[in-house]
Amino acid sequence: MEITAHIANLGKYTSGILTDAVLSFPATKEQVRMALQSIGVDGLRYEEIMLCDCHSSIPGLAGKIGEYASIDEVNYLANQVQALSPSERNIFAAAIQHGEYCDSLQDLINLTFQLDAYTLLPDIASYEAYGRYLVQEMQSITLPPEAIDYFDYAAYGEDITINENGMLTAQGYITHDGTPFREVYD
């Protein structure tokens, strides 16, 4: 499962009665109905819920899901994430850590549609590694042979990272190509 949350009946909770159920996303309509029924959400007297204690297999994702998030949107996001390939999931996780376009569930859902605007270099774990990658593999600058051992790859990698608005993440180095963020889901 991509996302797991405890759902609670908000009406009962504010009355001092704690009722909750664990719901794993993506969930079927029947699973959602049964979870809501188990906490007493009937659509008449009790209809509001809150999501507590979220967990996700995608690092950083659970922290982006608010207490009052829509179950339908969380479910849709979980379906989108489940459809991603392993490399796309890594890009998605790094993009969440990067912090652009992930302020709401709507942003996160839209982010799943535009992962191709990101470049993730999974083998880059430090500014020095990024600097060496740029100089030695990408040949962004040419160094005289006698300067190679004395060049400050870390400072160069950090400077380029700042200029590119890139970031070192647990998944590697990520940068966005500047493509405007488009709303696919509204």
Side-chain angles (χ1 to χ4, degrees), residues 1-64:
M1 298 299 160
E2 298 306 328
I3 301 168
T4 303
H6 285 260
I7 61 169
N9 182 324
L10 187 58
K12 287 185 176 184
Y13 181 77
T14 57
S15 299
I17 303 167
L18 182 58
T19 58
D20 75 327
V22 176
L23 187 57
S24 295
F25 299 94
T28 64
K29 287 181 182 181
E30 182 62 19
Q31 290 168 324
V32 171
R33 187 190 65 72
M34 289 179 67
L36 292 176
Q37 185 178 20
S38 75
I39 62 172
V41 172
D42 57 12
L44 301 172
R45 184 168 177 210
Y46 297 111
E47 56 187 345
E48 294 184 272
I49 60 153
M50 61 185 215
L51 280 72
C52 312
D53 196 27
C54 290
H55 297 280
S56 175
S57 60
I58 304 289
L61 180 58
K64 301 291 183 180

Side-chain angles (χ1 to χ4, degrees), residues 67-181:
E67 290 184 317
Y68 304 108
S70 160
I71 284 183
D72 290 334
E73 282 191 329
V74 174
N75 205 32
Y76 185 59
L77 174 62
N79 275 300
Q80 287 297 109
V81 170
Q82 190 175 51
L84 298 175
S85 70
S87 64
E88 289 172 325
R89 286 179 197 210
N90 284 336
I91 294 169
F92 183 68
I96 289 172
Q97 190 175 347
H98 189 262
E100 287 185 322
Y101 315 119
C102 59
D103 293 332
S104 67
L105 278 177
Q106 180 180 344
D107 285 349
L108 291 166
I109 292 167
N110 282 314
L111 182 60
T112 64
F113 288 103
Q114 39 212 325
L115 297 175
D116 57 337
Y118 289 89
T119 300
L120 179 65
L121 303 172
D123 296 330
I124 305 297
S126 67
Y127 292 128
E128 180 178 357
Y130 189 51
R132 286 189 184 279
Y133 168 80
L134 291 171
V135 172
Q136 295 172 353
E137 293 184 38
M138 299 303 293
Q139 299 177 346
S140 60
I141 61 172
T142 304
L143 296 175
E146 56 274 2
I148 290 174
D149 292 335
Y150 301 100
F151 187 72
D152 189 347
Y153 293 101
Y156 181 64
E158 183 176 14
D159 189 54
I160 297 299
T161 297
I162 292 167
N163 292 334
E164 291 179 340
N165 192 25
M167 179 181 222
L168 293 169
T169 70
Q171 293 75 29
Y173 177 77
I174 190 166
T175 187
H176 186 265
D177 69 7
T179 302
F181 193 71

